[in-house]
Amino acid sequence: MYMLNIFRRKKTYIQISPSIVVFTIFFLLGLYFLYQILDILAIFFIGFIIMVALSPAVDKVEKKLHSRLAGIIIVYILVVLVLTSLLAFLLPPLASQLLQSLKILNFPYLQEEIANLKFSAQELNGFAGEYGSSIGAVFDLVMSTLTSLFTTLTFFVISFYLMVDEPKLHLKISWLTKDKKHIKLARKFLDDIKTQLGGWVRGEIILMTIIGVMTYLALTIIGLPYVLPLALIAGILELLPNIGPTLSAIPAVGIALLNYDLTTALIVGASYYVIQLFENNLLVPRVLSKNADVNPLVTMMSILVGFKLYGVIGGLLSIPIYIVLRTVYSYWIKYQKKLKPNW
């Protein structure tokens, strides 16, 4: 009975420090603030991706000209010239072949509209008068176009300034710590991010180009129509490992069935399969470095989560974000004991 009374008299007290309450409040406010500026963070992250992708080329030009600013300007001019040339070369035949590919669809109304897709100046004026009366719609279209142009320009402006500051970017943490060990670790961390993230971006661009060209050549040899749109689809879907080539083969096989026969469709499907085997067994191990390698299942999961949380932008940025988080986690595990302060 005495022991029972002792147990009953024991009480447990939980004391919460005011500092913990303040820290929790500021932490939650910080998360809410980050959520509110996700669009801005995405723009800066895309600028960072552009920076790490172009950084090796800038470093090479800088060594020859002994001027980082001149190297950045030259690389940017070359990028703009390449993109402009590709658009000028691809857009006219792409638009023509896409228009022709719509004609094979068995929709009489659609075919009639495509066949009559020639307007006189008077008809265009009438169309503009009938559908262009809504000032709000026109204003929204103009503003949307200007916003897209401004956002694209912002990407390159941010990447430009990041490129200029890249050699001293790790010193920006000096307002957090003056410890040389930490600053050296920040430099190493940024170098690893450049190696992994930049290697992945450049590797994907190379893979997309090679797969697009191989698909174009294979379909041209077979004699399939509309090879340019199909090749572009194959190149773009290269961002999705394993499932991308399968998805890109579906429209090609469908066009082969509609225009030719089952034998041609089987040949087209076999061509896509051979290209995928060549990619998985030769291209991917050689083009993508081991440091930037991402498991296909992890890639698919990251892309699906990105699309679910943040739409198209989230899907496109999912793999770069995963690479950065993976690097942060590896550094945390590797250096957490070394960076603990000695009390």
Side-chain angles (χ1 to χ4, degrees):
M1 188 68 180
Y2 178 74
M3 294 296 296
L4 183 59
N5 290 333
I6 291 180
F7 287 126
R8 286 180 178 177
R9 291 174 184 174
K10 287 186 177 180
K11 296 182 180 180
T12 302
Y13 296 93
I14 299 176
Q15 184 176 3
I16 301 177
S17 172
S19 61
I20 296 178
V21 176
V22 173
F23 173 79
T24 303
I25 293 174
F26 275 97
F27 179 75
L28 294 176
L29 290 175
L31 291 179
Y32 178 76
F33 176 73
L34 291 177
Y35 177 76
Q36 294 297 318
I37 62 170
L38 276 178
D39 294 339
I40 300 175
L41 294 178
I43 291 175
F44 271 83
F45 189 63
I46 292 174
F48 181 77
I49 292 174
I50 296 174
M51 184 271 287
V52 298
L54 299 180
S55 185
V58 171
D59 292 339
K60 291 181 180 180
V61 178
E62 180 186 4
K63 289 180 180 179
K64 294 183 179 181
L65 300 180
H66 303 288
S67 173
R68 185 166 187 82
L69 182 60
I72 296 172
I73 294 174
I74 290 175
V75 170
Y76 269 69
I77 291 175
L78 291 176
V79 170
V80 171
L81 289 176
V82 170
L83 293 177
T84 305
S85 302
L86 286 175
L87 289 176
F89 175 75
L90 293 177
L91 278 182
L94 179 61
S96 175
Q97 292 192 20
L98 283 175
L99 197 61
Q100 293 176 11
S101 63
L102 291 177
K103 294 181 180 180
I104 69 174
L105 299 176
N106 191 21
F107 299 140
Y109 174 77
L110 180 60
Q111 294 179 10
E112 182 181 352
E113 290 296 324
I114 293 173
N116 297 328
L117 198 59
K118 294 180 180 179
F119 304 102
S120 63
Q122 186 176 3
E123 290 174 333
L124 288 176
N125 289 333
F127 180 83
E130 182 178 359
Y131 296 99
S133 59
S134 176
I135 302 300
V138 174
F139 179 77
D140 290 341
L141 178 62
V142 173
M143 291 303 297
S144 177
T145 304
L146 291 177
T147 301
S148 300
L149 292 175
F150 176 77
T151 303
T152 303
L153 180 63
T154 304
F155 292 154
F156 286 96
V157 171
I158 291 175
S159 63
F160 177 84
Y161 282 106
L162 287 174
M163 198 86 69
V164 172
D165 291 339
E166 192 276 331
K168 299 180 180 179
L169 200 59
H170 64 288
L171 298 178
K172 302 298 182 182
I173 71 163
S174 59
W175 64 280
L176 288 175
T177 176
K178 300 293 184 180
D179 193 332
K180 293 183 178 180
K181 179 176 62 175
H182 294 169
I183 295 176
K184 183 179 179 181
L185 182 61
R187 175 73 266 178
K188 189 175 185 303
F189 173 77
L190 287 177
D191 288 340
D192 283 351
I193 289 291
K194 284 177 56 179
T195 300
Q196 297 184 49
L197 186 56
W200 181 84
V201 173
R202 293 186 296 271
E204 286 296 333
I205 293 175
I206 293 173
L207 284 177
M208 292 168 65
T209 303
I210 293 176
I211 296 301
V213 171
M214 290 179 65
T215 303
Y216 180 87
L217 294 176
L219 298 182
T220 301
I221 294 173
I222 295 173
L224 204 67
Y226 324 120
V227 293
L228 186 56
L230 294 174
L232 286 176
I233 291 174
I236 293 173
L237 289 180
E238 183 59 28
L239 288 171
L240 301 176
N242 297 327
I243 194 174
T246 303
L247 293 177
S248 64
I250 293 175
V253 173
I255 290 176
L257 285 173
L258 291 173
N259 287 270
Y260 299 101
D261 51 21
L262 180 60
T263 302
T264 305
L266 292 175
I267 294 174
V268 171
S271 300
Y272 273 83
Y273 180 70
V274 171
I275 291 174
Q276 184 178 5
L277 287 178
F278 177 76
E279 171 202 353
N280 293 335
N281 294 285
L282 184 62
L283 289 180
V284 172
R286 289 180 176 271
V287 174
L288 291 179
S289 62
K290 293 182 179 180
N291 290 331
D293 188 30
V294 182
N295 186 276
L297 292 177
V298 175
T299 300
M300 285 302 303
M301 179 62 71
S302 301
I303 292 174
L304 292 176
V305 171
F307 271 108
K308 178 67 175 179
L309 294 179
Y310 207 58
V312 176
I313 299 299
L316 293 176
L317 296 180
S318 57
I319 303 303
I321 291 175
Y322 167 76
I323 291 175
V324 172
L325 293 178
R326 182 181 66 180
T327 307
V328 171
Y329 177 75
S330 66
Y331 267 73
W332 172 258
I333 295 299
K334 186 177 181 180
Y335 293 101
Q336 62 175 339
K337 294 182 178 180
K338 295 182 181 181
L339 295 180
K340 283 183 178 179
N342 296 322
W343 294 39

